[in-house]
Amino acid sequence: MAKNKNVYTGTGRRKTSVARVRLTSGTGKITVNGKDVNEYLPFETLVMDLTQPLDLTNTREIFDVEADVKGGGFSGQTGAIRLGITRALLDYDKTTDKDSENSYHKILKAAGFITRDARKKERKKPGLKKARRAPQFSKR
């Protein structure tokens, strides 16, 4: 049996993407679906967006991040992983008082990372081209 390392987990959702994130003590390696994060995500801005919670709490070099993500596109998956990392960090820091000045909850809440972004694509309605886009009107 493998040695028991402390593992902190968090689930993140964004649009139609769902991410299961595990934080383990390590050197800052980030793996998404078995691949390196820079190999998996096509844009550097997405990688920066994904690592914001770790940078804010100065834990980027402390934890290895392992994420399994399904559904959606790259942007939705990035948002889901970011929320998962945030929740895992809160799991790690649960012994600290939330009102404390250096608690992760206070830092991440101020940055707006704890709130789940509930925006989803609106469904298409009958008789319309998209959710609200009506067909072009022709007088003749």
Side-chain angles (χ1 to χ4, degrees):
M1 193 169 165
K3 62 182 177 182
N4 188 10
K5 285 202 279 184
N6 283 347
V7 179
Y8 305 99
T9 59
T11 305
R13 292 181 190 84
R14 170 81 172 96
K15 292 186 178 181
T16 58
S17 302
V18 180
R20 289 189 339 235
V21 178
R22 285 177 300 287
L23 293 183
T24 53
S25 54
T27 58
K29 197 174 85 175
I30 301 174
T31 318
V32 180
N33 289 349
K35 293 182 180 179
D36 182 61
V37 69
N38 295 308
E39 190 182 320
Y40 185 80
L41 295 172
F43 307 112
E44 189 62 35
T45 53
L46 292 177
V47 177
M48 285 170 39
D49 193 34
L50 183 141
T51 57
Q52 281 176 327
L54 296 169
D55 293 337
L56 266 177
T57 55
N58 297 321
T59 53
R60 186 146 186 198
E61 310 301 322
I62 298 172
F63 292 115
D64 282 345
V65 179
E66 195 178 318
D68 294 319
V69 64
K70 293 179 185 170
F74 290 120
S75 178
Q77 288 186 351
T78 301
I81 295 169
R82 183 173 82 170
L83 181 61
I85 290 172
T86 301
R87 288 181 173 171
L89 284 170
L90 292 177
D91 185 33
Y92 166 73
D93 195 45
K94 65 183 165 210
T95 56
T96 309
D97 182 35
K98 285 183 183 178
D99 298 328
S100 165
E101 201 57 43
N102 55 356
S103 75
Y104 288 175
H105 189 277
K106 195 163 198 162
I107 295 166
L108 295 168
K109 181 78 171 174
F113 294 152
I114 293 178
T115 309
R116 187 232 195 265
D117 191 346
R119 294 177 296 170
K120 286 189 172 187
K121 188 169 170 56
E122 191 175 333
R123 78 171 195 85
K124 183 193 174 302
K125 278 60 163 210
L128 300 181
K129 291 200 174 287
K130 291 167 58 179
R132 299 182 185 205
R133 168 77 172 103
Q136 187 172 4
F137 175 74
S138 172
K139 201 170 208 174
R140 289 174 188 85

